[in-house]
Amino acid sequence: MPITKRRRLFVRGAATSVAVALGATTLAACGSEDASDDPSGPVALTYWTWTPGMDKVVDLWNNGPGKKDRITVTVKKQASGDTLVTKILTAHKAGKGPDLVQAEYQALPTLVSNDAVADIASEVGDAKGKFADGVWQQTTLGTDAVYAVPQDIGPMMFYYRQDLFKKYGLTVPATWEQFAETARALKKKAPDKDLTTFSAADSGLFAGLAQQAGAKWWTTSGDKWKVGIDDAASQKVAGFWGGLVKEGAIDDQPMYTPAWNKALNTGKQIAWVSAVWAPGTLTTAAPDTKGKWAMAPLPQWSQSANVTGSWGGSSTAVTTDSENKAAAAKFAAWLNTDDAALQALAKESGIYPAATNAQTSGAFATPPDYFSNQSDFYTKAAEIAKTTAPSAWGPNVNVAYTTFKDAFGKAAKDKSDFVAALNTVQDDTVADLKKQGFEVSE
């Protein structure tokens, strides 16, 4: 087996679709047993996470009866995103990583390629039934290995102002074709308003939309990575949004700015393609419109389709530096599947759980306060979450996302070809993989 970036994580079952070309050391290191095979302790674990209120959730474990009190977990609050990934990799190189880390789904391939997180399939594999297939797949990277336990997810949805849709005689779009027609119809009836905006600064949004369309941005062929950021599905999505921006049917301003907040709050923009976490954002961005919004499934590319993309979400991984892999995996499974833990995560951390058993109970038995007018909000959200499409992340998502912001930002400003911008993202991502030493299939 090659050592270096060309290492393959070999598939251990015919049902697995691909082998993932990852790695910096031998495969044996990923699956090695820890020094303590007895998960009952006494063991002291360290958990790096950015989730607010996690210490209160972990207290449930530390103060629990019986064997739980023999495995003590200490929370170390960290920054999120690329900052945490860099810190994890730096700690791993020094052999001083924590036992557990919170990892965004798109960061897992980078952590696996650097041998920073362990395969915990033998410890947590039976938890698979707690999650939608498309969600669980994000922690397996298409293999029989399991590199983390899903924690929270961001299934994508369509949000709209009920009162303004009624005022302008608009119908909630079931397809993207209808979405475009709705945007144009609104412009004719109210030229000063926009259905929504295309935010070139939000690469995760575009990635989720491409995922819904069937895109596979990173896949493998043997020991080689294949980058498909400019695949047919992604080109379709890019062409669709680029066309709407060019004709002026929608706005092209970034989200999460004072101007965007004002547009939502005053009704200048009357819809938002977002994810399940949107109520929290709307609460602060558009406080004057509370109770006037509703949520519906994302428009589909065909009338018969029923699939959504994912925007955001994270997992709990066990590091290869941990000397107590079994104990750490036991905690990771508890944290993300136990009913009491999940309800505490909802209450203390405000997350939407990846585990299906918690999506319509407890904190999710009633709608968000902002959506008190939609009593079935979380029931509908849970149904949508089940349709999450599989993702296909690679080891240099950060490079692709950075290039996306630059290329699409310029295209949106100039109202030029979004597909050409997509090609730029493709080329830069491939070039970076090669520079890192990965083998790439053209």
Side-chain angles (χ1 to χ4, degrees):
M1 180 191 314
I3 300 176
T4 74
K5 299 280 188 183
R6 295 186 295 276
R7 178 189 60 151
R8 177 191 296 185
L9 296 183
F10 288 100
V11 179
R12 297 189 299 275
T16 308
S17 59
V18 295
V20 180
L22 293 165
T25 57
T26 62
L27 179 61
C30 283
S32 62
E33 290 301 319
D34 55 87
S36 174
D37 289 330
D38 178 9
S40 63
V43 170
L45 305 174
T46 301
Y47 177 27
W48 285 4
T49 174
W50 67 83
T51 299
M54 183 61 77
D55 52 341
K56 295 180 180 178
V57 180
V58 172
D59 281 345
L60 294 179
W61 170 274
N62 290 335
N63 298 325
K67 56 189 177 184
K68 285 195 180 89
D69 60 10
R70 294 171 59 80
I71 304 173
T72 303
V73 179
T74 299
V75 171
K76 297 290 186 181
K77 191 63 67 69
Q78 307 292 330
S80 59
D82 292 343
T83 301
L84 178 56
V85 173
T86 299
K87 186 172 182 179
I88 293 169
L89 296 180
T90 300
H92 172 63
K93 288 178 182 178
K96 297 180 179 179
D99 297 280
L100 299 121
V101 295
Q102 183 176 1
E104 292 178 294
Y105 297 115
Q106 68 266 23
L108 278 175
T110 298
L111 296 176
V112 173
S113 71
N114 286 277
D115 195 36
V117 295
D119 175 5
I120 53 175
S122 60
E123 289 85 5
V124 304
D126 58 354
K128 179 179 179 180
K130 296 277 190 178
F131 307 93
D133 289 343
V135 172
W136 183 255
Q137 179 269 346
Q138 295 198 85
T139 64
T140 69
L141 309 188
T143 73
D144 285 348
V146 178
Y147 294 106
V149 182
Q151 182 167 107
D152 60 301
I153 55 173
M156 295 179 68
M157 301 157 185
F158 179 68
Y159 294 86
Y160 64 100
R161 282 281 299 271
Q162 278 185 311
D163 57 334
L164 296 182
F165 262 58
K166 182 178 180 180
K167 176 180 178 178
Y168 296 114
L170 304 176
T171 302
V172 178
T175 66
W176 287 113
E177 181 180 1
Q178 292 172 8
F179 178 92
E181 292 170 353
T182 302
R184 296 178 185 121
L186 176 64
K187 270 297 178 186
K188 289 180 180 179
K189 296 177 179 181
D192 62 327
K193 296 187 181 297
D194 295 291
L195 180 64
T196 192
T197 188
F198 177 84
S199 178
D202 288 276
S203 43
L205 169 59
F206 185 86
L209 292 170
Q211 177 188 348
Q212 184 212 20
K216 302 292 183 185
W217 281 8
W218 285 268
T219 55
T220 55
S221 177
D223 291 328
K224 298 181 179 181
W225 280 101
K226 182 174 178 61
V227 181
I229 291 175
D230 64 349
D231 63 12
S234 301
Q235 289 190 22
K236 177 171 65 175
V237 175
F240 175 81
W241 287 94
L244 291 177
V245 168
K246 187 174 183 178
E247 70 177 86
I250 62 172
D251 197 4
D252 61 357
Q253 299 302 306
M255 297 186 291
Y256 314 117
T257 64
W260 180 74
N261 291 348
K262 183 178 180 180
L264 292 179
N265 202 38
T266 61
K268 185 180 185 302
Q269 284 186 24
I270 70 170
W272 184 25
V273 175
S274 188
V276 70
W277 41 259
T281 300
L282 290 171
T283 298
T284 55
D288 296 341
T289 61
K290 176 183 176 181
K292 297 180 179 180
W293 292 77
M295 179 269 286
L298 209 60
Q300 303 292 311
W301 285 104
S302 68
Q303 196 74 47
S304 60
N306 183 25
V307 63
T308 195
S310 182
W311 185 6
S314 63
S315 62
T316 308
V318 176
T319 72
T320 51
D321 292 322
S322 176
E323 296 182 356
N324 299 286
K325 174 185 168 188
K330 182 181 179 69
F331 169 78
W334 171 85
L335 180 65
N336 300 307
T337 63
D338 180 81
D339 287 334
L342 291 168
Q343 291 305 321
L345 280 170
K347 177 184 177 182
E348 304 293 346
S349 308
I351 73 158
Y352 182 74
T356 57
N357 57 300
Q359 292 172 356
T360 56
S361 62
F364 305 101
T366 56
D369 185 53
Y370 193 90
F371 281 80
S372 58
N373 55 302
Q374 188 172 5
S375 60
D376 65 345
F377 182 95
Y378 282 123
T379 301
K380 184 173 289 186
E383 291 300 315
I384 293 172
K386 292 176 184 177
T387 71
T388 302
S391 64
W393 301 114
N396 63 340
V397 175
N398 59 325
V399 171
Y401 275 17
T402 298
T403 304
F404 174 92
K405 293 177 183 179
D406 293 339
F408 275 77
K410 186 176 187 303
K413 181 180 179 180
D414 298 342
K415 292 182 170 47
S416 58
D417 188 5
F418 276 25
V419 175
L422 192 68
N423 293 337
T424 298
V425 181
Q426 167 79 15
D427 293 344
D428 283 10
T429 304
V430 169
D432 177 73
L433 278 179
K434 292 179 177 178
K435 182 180 179 181
Q436 289 191 56
F438 290 98
E439 290 193 6
V440 181
S441 175
E442 300 296 340

